[in-house]
Amino acid sequence: MGSIYGKLFQISTFGESHGAAVGVVVQGCPAGISFDLAFIQSELDRRKPGQSRITTQRKEADSIEVLSGVFEGKTTGTPIAMLVWNGDQRSKDYSHISDQFRPSHADYTYFAKYGLRDYRGGGRSSARETVARVAAGALAKMVLSQIGVQITAYVSQVGTLKLSTPVEQLDLNITETNAVRCPDPAMADQMFHYIDEIRKQGDSVGGVVSAYITGVPVGLGEPVFDKLHAELGKAMLSINAVKGFEYGSGFDGVEKKGSEHNDVIVKEADGTVRTLTNHSGGIQGGISNGEPIYFRVGFKPVATIMQDQDSINEQGDKITVSGKGRHDPCVVPRAVPIVEAMAAIVILDFYLRNRVIQMPS
């Protein structure tokens, strides 16, 4: 069950980093949705490796193939299967760690749980698996666009370089104009050169991807265990290398008094109910309130570095692990479409749940 996510809009992913292919089966997509293959490909292109010198140089076309669930350009309401073939694996780059546990990787935990592991690029624990998520998320975006939901993510921090401009003052339309995917050109330039310097040192650095979602209708989410923000947090924390999630005011909110933090509710002349501020991040009591939803996702430094590190092997002997292969010095530029994809999957799943609840008997 660990490879299945969602209740009504449900995805099941499969494949390994150095296997033949990675893919996804999507169930619950409504019938009659215009299926834009070019859009799905464009989303995968945002995630794929080899985009610049600050990303892994693995070369993958990531060309999407649709196997089922689409007929004459429309979704049929049946399971949609999508597949991407792997093409540029270098399994020999990992032969030296066939019995070694790399620091901060899933090597030891997978071996302890299953008694074996696919050491080639991390196997199932590799971020290569997120190809499937982005494909499914692009499909979810197609559906959500028809109800006016817009999801945009961007890099807001790399190491100690932090974008302080409020999201409402940023031009998110320029996020894709630079390799870092930061909507502030000056900060993007600083981040790029910093990541590049870290790469030259054979090291890695973490960062933050922020997301901003508009057009979400009021009422999505459940009041207790399936709170909307809890499910968004679960989805984000399921992404490789994610170590933190906060929405709305997040941890900064603890510094405020209730009189400063409360979002005053007003009713506008046209009858629209809104809040004067949005410290709640568009979610109150676990349910969307119609205001923009925003959150931050913290990514750790990539675990594989081009430096020698102490560790142990499967026999428990102390060894030195040497970094080889092709890896991102900082994952956040390529993580932007992954964050958007998982957010789209969550929002659509809750939208469909809400639609079912509200249907007349």
Side-chain angles (χ1 to χ4, degrees):
M1 296 298 291
S3 295
I4 299 173
Y5 183 79
K7 290 191 175 180
L8 293 187
F9 186 84
Q10 186 179 80
I11 71 170
S12 177
T13 71
F14 61 89
E16 294 81 31
S17 178
H18 285 226
V22 291
V24 62
V25 177
V26 180
Q27 299 195 74
C29 182
I33 302 298
S34 294
F35 189 86
D36 188 345
L37 185 62
F39 174 70
I40 293 182
Q41 188 62 59
S42 70
E43 292 292 275
L44 289 173
D45 289 346
R46 296 171 64 209
R47 194 223 68 96
K48 74 179 181 181
Q51 296 181 39
S52 72
R53 69 173 184 263
I54 62 168
T55 64
T56 172
Q57 294 306 294
R58 178 171 173 169
K59 299 296 183 183
E60 293 285 357
D62 283 354
S63 298
I64 190 74
E65 293 184 21
V66 180
L67 307 182
S68 66
V70 179
F71 181 67
E72 295 184 341
K74 301 281 187 179
T75 58
T76 62
T78 58
I80 298 172
M82 294 181 282
L83 181 74
V84 169
W85 295 100
N86 291 329
D88 188 28
Q89 310 98 313
R90 289 186 187 172
S91 298
K92 66 179 185 298
D93 287 346
Y94 298 90
S95 58
H96 69 293
I97 58 152
S98 60
D99 68 341
Q100 299 178 354
F101 299 136
R102 295 168 295 174
S104 288
H105 274 276
D107 296 344
Y108 170 70
T109 52
Y110 265 56
F111 185 76
K113 181 177 177 66
Y114 299 109
L116 51 85
R117 65 187 175 94
D118 183 349
Y119 60 84
R120 304 166 305 164
R124 185 68 176 154
S125 69
S126 169
R128 183 74 183 145
E129 177 269 340
T130 59
V131 168
R133 303 183 190 216
V134 172
L139 180 60
K141 280 186 175 184
M142 288 181 199
V143 183
L144 291 172
S145 67
Q146 300 194 13
I147 60 171
V149 175
Q150 179 70 37
I151 301 171
T152 307
Y154 59 94
V155 172
S156 57
Q157 185 172 344
V158 171
T160 58
L161 297 173
K162 186 176 181 179
L163 189 61
S164 58
T165 308
V167 62
E168 295 83 3
Q169 297 175 25
L170 293 170
D171 181 2
L172 299 183
N173 292 317
I174 66 172
T175 299
E176 295 293 319
T177 62
N178 59 75
V180 182
R181 293 197 167 92
C182 174
D184 181 306
M187 179 57 75
D189 188 60
Q190 291 183 57
M191 289 176 171
F192 182 93
H193 289 292
Y194 179 59
I195 296 171
D196 198 32
E197 184 59 36
I198 292 292
R199 178 187 64 82
K200 293 174 183 177
Q201 296 171 12
D203 217 329
S204 62
V205 66
V208 173
V209 173
S210 294
Y212 192 67
I213 309 174
T214 59
V216 178
V218 180
L220 302 193
E222 306 298 331
V224 185
F225 295 115
D226 283 355
K227 290 178 169 67
L228 181 56
H229 60 272
E231 205 63 31
L232 283 168
K234 175 183 176 181
M236 298 307 143
L237 288 163
S238 76
I239 299 171
N240 311 65
V242 171
K243 289 294 184 181
F245 171 83
E246 63 175 1
Y247 80 102
S249 61
F251 284 99
D252 289 341
V254 305
E255 301 175 4
K256 296 181 180 294
K257 293 179 286 188
S259 56
E260 299 170 315
H261 190 270
N262 287 347
D263 295 319
V264 174
I265 304 171
V266 297
K267 187 173 184 179
E268 310 231 318
D270 62 359
T272 303
V273 175
R274 58 179 301 270
T275 59
L276 295 181
T277 53
N278 191 22
H279 300 302
S280 300
I283 304 170
Q284 293 172 324
I287 300 170
S288 61
N289 66 358
E291 296 296 321
I293 294 172
Y294 62 94
F295 56 83
R296 289 162 44 90
V297 186
F299 289 79
K300 70 172 183 176
V302 174
T304 298
I305 58 177
M306 299 299 108
Q307 299 178 15
D308 290 346
Q309 300 177 86
D310 292 334
S311 188
I312 63 170
N313 60 20
E314 292 178 4
Q315 292 73 45
D317 302 321
K318 185 176 179 180
I319 50 93
T320 298
V321 177
S322 299
K324 291 183 180 180
R326 299 159 295 178
H327 306 277
D328 294 89
C330 182
V331 74
V332 290
R334 292 176 59 216
V336 167
I338 304 170
V339 168
E340 291 181 2
M342 291 307 297
I345 291 166
V346 171
I347 297 297
L348 179 55
D349 190 38
F350 273 106
Y351 175 77
L352 293 174
R353 292 195 223 176
N354 215 48
R355 190 175 69 168
V356 169
I357 291 171
Q358 294 179 352
M359 286 178 64
S361 58

